[in-house]
Amino acid sequence: MPVASVGLKSMSLPEFGEPTIMPLVARTTHEKRIEALMAAGARAGLDAFAVYGDREHAANVAYLSGYDPRFEETLLVIVPGRQPWLLVGNEGWGYAELCDGPYERVLYQTFSLPAQPRDRSDALSDILADCGLKPGQRIGAIGWKPFGAGDAGFNETTLDLPSFIADTLRTLVGDKGAVVNAANLLMNPTDGLRAINEADQLAAFEFAATFTSQGLRNVLQGIEPGMTELQAARLMGMNGLPHGCHPMLSAGKRAAYGLPSPRLDVIKRGDPITMAYGIQGALNARAGFLAEDTSELAPGIRDYVERLVAPYFAAVVDWYEAIGIGTTGGTLWKAVHDRIGDPFFGVSLNPGHLVHIDEWMHSPVFSGSDIELRSGMALQVDIIPATGSDYFTTNIEDGIALADERLREEIAARYPEAWSRIEARRGFMKDVLGIRLKPEVLPFSNIPAFLPPFWLSRNTAMAVIGR
């Protein structure tokens, strides 16, 4: 049944708790992932893979091997019938041993930082030949970006690896071979290997999302006028888990841009404000005004809730109630645009996407998408209005997973602490916010769909108030 009305409601946000157990992905799982990639490669006519990663683009290498490069670059070379080789620089050598992935370490010092020693490794062409790459092969190169129909002028031979690696690979295979972009085998939202997650991986994402969402919750509960942005960001309680993106918190004129990191700027009463915190596997974001109520807004936008926040929240409710196993991405896109498709709202990016080790892996959610969502997918509600006006914006970014009955039973049995949080969040969304989730929808956020337009009215947020 469609939502009849939404509005502000006084509520108490429960304490969902934080993890005391850290889920880890086993080496055997990485071995199975490599086997699955080799099988997919064989079907695609590929003879081998070269998977590139660096500090900003670690997800594909980390998914396959468990190794996430820190200061340096890396290359995972996978040839059927041989142990994968992981090429690392000076500082990655010891860390790669600690990660204990299904690979043989190879020192390639050109991947090291500038001016570090370069005296103990062979030329890249010789290393790749020793790995088992040879002339005439068709090699799948995986960086971090698959190219699609909208990327004019690019095709499967377009690579996003550094040229010194791409050129060496192309020279090695020669005119009778080819090096092609194979990122879609991992990242395609329809059947990419990373689109569907095991119970361990989903539990790891829930672990991450609990901390990122709790960080934002801490800000919502503790921010005060007169704080600097840096003081407010400190409330997030960042705990050292690897970031998936830079921390974001800005108020006043910079807030409209969304992406700035905090500075020593003082946050004033009535300021627009936005924040986001992401670590590998999760990101959460919120936006609003540092105010008690509409009386503290500029006279021209005192209908902020009615004009922007209410239709936005109704779209979020429709999104949550539509999503499920078998729902198409186009259905989600339509649910949002039926509510806030007017140009005033400025919703231009995909209203939802797949989340993984990288914050935005890919998206099945776009106009006309017939991609059906599947059990094991981890997704983000990510509906961002950009009004370009004094109304500023409002925002909910939270992660969920889809899990069929078998997968739900596995998560509940193996990760009872996480499952308890998930069930409590579902209960809050249903009983307090009035959002009706399908059984397969597992919310990962400690502020699940909690949207306070006025951050100084800490127990007032949007909810369904009638149908």
Side-chain angles (χ1 to χ4, degrees):
M1 181 182 298
V3 174
S5 59
V6 300
L8 289 172
K9 178 180 176 179
S10 295
M11 63 183 70
S12 177
L13 184 61
E15 292 288 346
F16 298 107
E18 293 187 0
T20 63
I21 297 171
M22 186 172 186
L24 299 173
V25 176
R27 175 178 174 141
T28 54
T29 299
H30 291 120
E31 291 171 347
K32 291 176 182 176
R33 291 171 173 178
I34 290 173
E35 290 172 2
L37 178 62
M38 287 194 293
R43 293 191 294 272
L46 299 175
D47 299 302
F49 289 96
V51 187
Y52 172 80
D54 60 26
R55 181 177 177 273
E56 295 297 322
H57 309 114
N60 285 324
V61 164
Y63 170 80
L64 293 168
S65 71
Y67 174 77
D68 59 321
R70 298 298 169 113
F71 296 100
E72 305 170 332
E73 299 165 289
T74 191
L75 193 71
L76 180 69
V77 182
I78 302 171
V79 178
R82 302 182 60 150
Q83 177 83 337
W85 281 23
L86 183 75
L87 280 61
V88 296
N90 293 321
E91 296 185 82
W93 179 256
Y95 182 60
E97 181 178 41
L98 177 67
C99 292
D100 190 34
Y103 47 71
E104 180 179 338
R105 294 177 299 159
V106 178
L107 182 64
Y108 179 55
Q109 292 176 297
T110 298
F111 283 165
S112 305
L113 301 182
Q116 287 189 359
R118 300 285 200 270
D119 58 342
R120 292 187 295 120
S121 56
D122 295 332
L124 181 59
S125 57
D126 293 334
I127 293 174
L128 295 178
D130 290 342
C131 288
L133 304 185
K134 53 190 176 183
Q137 286 182 327
R138 185 175 172 85
I139 296 173
I142 299 178
W144 71 281
K145 180 179 287 187
F147 295 96
D151 297 305
F154 296 148
N155 55 38
E156 69 168 7
T157 63
T158 304
L159 308 182
D160 62 335
L161 279 62
S163 64
F164 75 96
I165 300 174
D167 292 346
T168 302
L169 288 168
R170 287 168 172 150
T171 299
L172 192 155
V173 300
D175 294 339
K176 294 184 179 179
V179 183
V180 301
N181 190 319
N184 263 320
L185 294 181
L186 290 180
M187 301 176 68
N188 188 292
T190 303
D191 56 9
L193 297 181
R194 285 210 289 137
I196 306 300
N197 299 282
E198 309 90 350
D200 289 342
Q201 188 69 76
L202 292 178
F205 292 161
E206 192 275 342
F207 173 90
T210 299
F211 286 112
T212 54
S213 58
Q214 187 68 33
L216 299 197
R217 176 181 176 142
N218 296 342
V219 176
L220 292 172
Q221 292 176 335
I223 192 170
E224 295 287 353
M227 283 184 171
T228 67
E229 292 171 354
L230 284 172
Q231 288 173 326
R234 191 177 297 155
L235 296 173
M236 292 182 185
M238 299 179 200
N239 57 9
L241 290 169
H243 287 182
C245 61
H246 56 273
M248 291 163 262
L249 190 150
S250 58
K253 292 182 179 180
R254 294 195 311 140
Y257 297 92
L259 300 183
S261 295
R263 305 194 306 196
L264 275 174
D265 298 8
V266 175
I267 308 169
K268 301 183 294 296
R269 182 177 288 270
D271 270 352
I273 185 167
T274 182
M275 62 177 172
Y277 175 25
I279 61 178
Q280 290 181 1
L283 178 138
N284 296 86
R286 290 296 187 275
F289 283 87
L290 193 67
E292 291 273 1
D293 53 40
T294 58
S295 69
E296 295 182 320
L297 302 184
I301 61 168
R302 287 181 180 167
D303 61 344
Y304 171 63
V305 172
E306 295 80 12
R307 181 77 173 91
L308 176 59
V309 182
Y312 173 84
F313 186 74
V316 171
V317 172
D318 289 349
W319 189 98
Y320 268 115
E321 296 191 339
I323 196 167
I325 296 170
T327 301
T328 65
T331 298
L332 292 181
W333 187 94
K334 186 175 186 300
V336 170
H337 284 264
D338 281 352
R339 290 279 187 183
I340 52 175
D342 186 278
F344 162 75
F345 295 99
V347 178
S348 59
L349 300 181
N350 312 58
H353 58 84
L354 297 174
V355 62
H356 208 272
I357 298 168
D358 37 3
E359 189 270 334
W360 184 305
M361 191 196 88
H362 211 306
S363 181
V365 185
F366 50 87
S367 178
S369 169
D370 61 358
I371 299 172
E372 293 187 358
L373 306 184
R374 298 162 58 192
S375 177
M377 284 186 167
L379 298 111
Q380 182 120 325
V381 54
D382 189 355
I383 306 166
I384 306 175
T387 69
S389 71
D390 289 342
Y391 283 95
F392 180 49
T393 189
T394 181
N395 190 20
I396 291 175
E397 293 186 42
D398 286 332
I400 67 158
L402 298 179
D404 59 21
E405 185 174 6
R406 181 202 60 78
L407 184 54
R408 295 197 299 273
E409 290 176 351
E410 183 179 1
I411 295 171
R414 297 180 57 200
Y415 299 99
E417 182 184 84
W419 187 252
S420 177
R421 290 191 294 268
I422 290 167
E423 286 194 310
R425 295 169 188 143
R426 284 179 54 88
F428 170 77
M429 294 178 72
K430 174 179 179 290
D431 299 334
V432 179
L433 300 184
I435 299 175
R436 302 168 177 174
L437 300 177
K438 296 175 182 176
E440 63 264 33
V441 180
L442 311 183
F444 283 177
S445 171
N446 269 9
I447 47 173
F450 181 74
L451 181 62
F454 308 114
W455 287 16
L456 296 179
S457 183
R458 305 189 198 276
N459 296 314
T460 304
M462 299 301 295
V464 176
I465 58 176
R467 290 184 181 267

